[in-house]
Structure formats: C-alpha cells, structure tokens
Amino acid sequence: MTGIWSTTFNCYQTTGCCPFATFLRPPLPSWYPQCTMTPEHKNDGIVAELRTVVIPNVTVKELLGVIPSHCFERSTTKSFLYLIWNIFIISCIYKTTILLDSEVVYPVASDLNYPYTYRFIQFALWSIYGFWAGLFMTGLWIIAHECGHYAFSQSKVISDSVGWILHSAVGSPFDHSKGDILGSYVAKETMSDLWEAMGDSPISTLLRGTGVLLFAWPLYLILNLGGQSRYPKWTNHFNPSAAIFKPHQFWQIIWSNVGIALWAAGLIIWASKCGAWEVLSVYGVPYLWTNHWIVLLTYLQHTDPLLPHCRGPEFTFTRGALATFDRSFLGDCGKIMAWIGAHATHGICENHALHHVSSKIPHYNAWEASAALKKFLRSHGIRSDGPPVDWAEGLRVLMQCKFVEDVGGIVFFKNSQCLAHAKPVFDNIGMNGNVAEFPEEGGPYAFHFGKHFLGTLVFVSFGVYGIMLSVLAM
C-alpha cells in the first residue's frame, strides 16, 4: 500500500495471468483506474491510484426541475403504438423464419442429399430467431414494467390491464413491486453466492454467469434466490401474504397469479397439440433470452466498482437514485446494433438514471428528459454513463465487484483481494483531482468483442438449444 487511497491488486488484464483474460474482458477505457508497475511492488502486485467519484448533494426538486415539463406527459395512443410495433416486429421475425425454413433451407438441404444437413441448418436458423425474438420480447417486458409505474397511460385501469396481460404473456408476475431496487439485489447477490467454492477462474465464472443469466430471474421470483436477505426464507412473488407486499396489494397478487396460471395452461395446451419442440423453438428460447437480458441489464445498471453505496445518514433518495449507470445496450457491436438494442428495449438501459429519478416518464420522452438531466449532472461533476452492456462487461464487473464493507456511510465494491477502485468526494469539492471520467456517447470505449458478435451469438444460441434438447430427451 502506498497510502490510504492507493490500491494494490492482481489485475487479470495484464500478462502473466489467465491466458483467457484478453478474450473474456475488453481493454479498460482511459477513464478507468490504470495499472502501473513500481519497483517496490513488483512482488506484491499492481498499484492503481483510486479514482474520486462525486457524491451528489442535489435535491429531488432540482433534478425534476431541469426536465422539460412536456416530458412528463403520458400518451395512451403513443404507448399502444409502441406496443403494437413491438408485437409486429416479433411477428415479422417469426414469419421470416418460417419462410426461410420452408422455402429456402429445406429445398437447399434436400438437394445436398445429406440426412442431417437440414436439421443442422434449421437448428442454426431457429437459434438466430430465438435471439432476435427474445430481444424484442424483452421490449415487451419493458413496456409491461412501465405499466407498473403508470408510465403507460394516465389511466390506472389501462396501465393495470395492459401490464397484467403483458407480464402474464412473458411469464412474469405483475405485482407493482419495486423491481428496479430488488433487481439490483437479485443479480448482484446471486452472482456473488453461487458456486463460490469454485473460485474466480474464468471457466467457473463463465459457467456461473451463464446459469445465473438464464435462470436467476425465475428462481428469484419463486425462491427469492439472491433477493434481499431481510425477507424470510422462501419468500416469493406468488404469495399474496409475503413480506415483500403490503396488505392492500393482496388482490393484485391474486390476479397476477391468475395470469401466470393462464400462461402456464396455454403453454401446456400448445405443447399437447403441436409438440414440445415447437413450443421450445417459438417461445421457449426467446423466453430464456428475455430472462437473460433482464438479469444482465439490471445487474450492469446497478453494479460497478465506481458506483457508490450509501447507508445511514449518508443515504438520500437522490444518492440512491443516481447510483446507477446509463449504458449503451449492444453498443460494443457498432452504431447499428446500438440503435437496434436501444430501439428494441425502449432505451431502458441508456436512460436508466432518469427512470430512477422519475419512473412515470414514458420511454418515448425519456431521451429528451435524460439529456437534460445529464447536462445538469455534468455541471455538478456527476457522471452517469458507463461502458456498453455485453457479456464481457458483465464478467469484468462480476470479478471486480465481490462485496461492500459492513461499515462506512459511503462504500464501494471491492474485489476478491478486498481492494476498491474509488473514493468519494462531495459535489464540486476537489473536482480538480483525479475524478473518474466517463466516455461520451460513441466515445473511446472501443470493445472489439463486437467483431465476433455473430459467431458468439450462434455459439451461445446453440448452447441454449443443446441444453433444452437434453432436458427434453431425458
């Protein structure tokens, strides 16, 4: 240690560490704590100077005051148009896949006269379908989530009705619980606890992360796995008397359960008439992709070594609300994929700080409102933009964010060597120091994982299909 605000840690980005490091994580951006070797620490590790992170001292009134008043207006017509558009895109993806399967893949494969050629090409085609359908299915979940915040319409009846239908359609309870807050616990704690005995090797982390991304969301809903520890064991989102709900929410949970029962019954009837393979191909794989994106987005929105955690007298609503990163969804894969990702998920990842400040602002007004909010935050030295969302970023954050100390009013995540990356400063005090800078949109954070996106996509999709096929074959 060179001082109270200096850190010595083993950085797996450097040579002499795991050979998979370069593939599993991107190069760190210029604003992130950089590793430098010094003679006195050659045997102890790598020295990194801690970055200072500004702790907000602004009020809710100030934050809301910089947002244009028309951004708070909710249009039922606009909301329905975006909903219909999402459904239309999913339908087009499905119809296109069916057309390619019957008119292109089957004739071509038949001419080749190899028995397994058609199955293999069909397998690849429906794997790609699963990804794209799951991406826009996540957008439906986002709209349903907005209904729970009454951002869909000024009418509570319309918001509740649409929210109930959409949540049921994606197999998720509609209970008006604080999903943004709970979600940050589900991913963080689950990822920290599962398979802890396997250590931090890249392969164990990869396997652990894959399991969490696919199954953490339903396990959280059913068993509170990774949820807030203050709730009793086996707390779930289907028990109307559970501690997470208030008494007046009792019948909301009952109706939510009815929706889930109808969803399950519909899948069973569908499978009995058309076969489990069709249900798996058309709905099951997109459903798993949706679960995957919900967990990954929520985790990266609320978790990073540079995000402060405030407790006790240091906690205020604004500090809690601004303890999040706006990240470009699929932004590492280029501008086109960044636009598609933001379009499919309605900017929930790019404008998440705003969602914390005022969850009733609809997504189609969030871009303008978020730009005004960020301009105000930057004038106070507060940065809310983080690196893009991708699997390697999730792996990096997972390996650097192991725990927070039990003591201290303002703390940051520490890694497995019990070392942090940041220290707090308050508002504009000390702004001429080593303040953590975040990249502008389209800034220097160039992650080359995007070059291998399609190959990785097919590989992961094949893996998902392989797991499900193994289950069906049992």
Side-chain angles (χ1 to χ4, degrees), residues 311-330:
R311 57 166 75 100
E314 296 293 348
F315 178 82
T316 63
F317 172 84
T318 54
R319 289 178 179 177
L322 297 176
T324 183
F325 273 166
D326 292 333
R327 299 175 182 265
S328 175
F329 183 40
L330 303 180

Side-chain angles (χ1 to χ4, degrees), residues 364-377:
Y364 43 82
N365 291 336
W367 296 95
E368 180 182 357
S370 182
L373 178 64
K374 289 180 181 181
K375 182 178 179 181
F376 173 78
L377 294 177

Side-chain angles (χ1 to χ4, degrees), residues 38-230:
T38 57
E40 61 271 26
H41 289 95
K42 281 184 177 180
N43 296 326
D44 296 330
I46 303 167
V47 177
E49 184 178 1
L50 290 184
R51 297 281 177 165
T52 52
V53 173
V54 177
I55 307 300
N57 278 328
V58 296
T59 64
V60 178
K61 184 178 180 180
E62 288 178 303
L63 295 178
L64 296 178
V66 301
I67 300 173
S69 59
H70 63 268
C71 292
F72 294 91
E73 298 175 1
R74 293 160 287 174
S75 170
T76 304
T77 302
K78 281 187 178 180
S79 296
F80 268 112
L81 287 175
Y82 276 97
L83 171 58
I84 293 171
W85 177 251
N86 251 81
I87 296 174
F88 173 74
I89 292 295
I90 295 174
S91 301
C92 288
I93 295 171
Y94 172 71
K95 289 295 185 181
T96 301
T97 305
I98 290 290
L99 181 64
L100 290 174
D101 192 354
S102 60
E103 301 297 330
V104 178
V105 174
Y106 182 75
V108 171
S110 299
D111 292 340
L112 294 176
N113 201 29
Y114 288 101
Y116 296 105
T117 302
Y118 171 63
R119 289 300 179 188
F120 178 80
I121 299 177
Q122 184 189 43
F123 188 79
L125 176 65
W126 283 94
S127 295
I128 300 300
Y129 158 83
F131 170 81
W132 288 108
L135 190 64
F136 283 89
M137 191 173 170
T138 305
L140 290 180
W141 189 94
I142 298 301
I143 294 177
H145 182 73
E146 282 200 345
C147 290
H149 289 294
Y150 297 114
F152 186 87
S153 171
Q154 294 186 10
S155 169
K156 289 189 176 182
V157 174
I158 293 177
S159 292
D160 284 341
S161 300
V162 175
W164 179 78
I165 293 172
L166 291 180
H167 269 291
S168 300
V170 296
S172 177
F174 182 58
D175 53 27
H176 293 282
S177 63
K178 303 302 181 182
D180 301 294
I181 299 174
L182 295 179
S184 65
Y185 285 89
V186 57
K188 172 175 67 66
E189 294 191 9
T190 303
M191 285 191 168
S192 298
D193 294 339
L194 291 179
W195 298 359
E196 189 66 32
M198 294 184 68
D200 291 334
S201 64
I203 186 62
S204 68
T205 303
L206 185 63
L207 292 173
R208 177 175 55 189
T210 301
V212 167
L213 290 175
L214 291 177
F215 305 111
W217 177 244
L219 289 176
Y220 161 67
L221 296 176
I222 297 171
L223 303 174
N224 196 41
L225 180 65
Q228 297 191 46
S229 57
R230 61 190 176 94

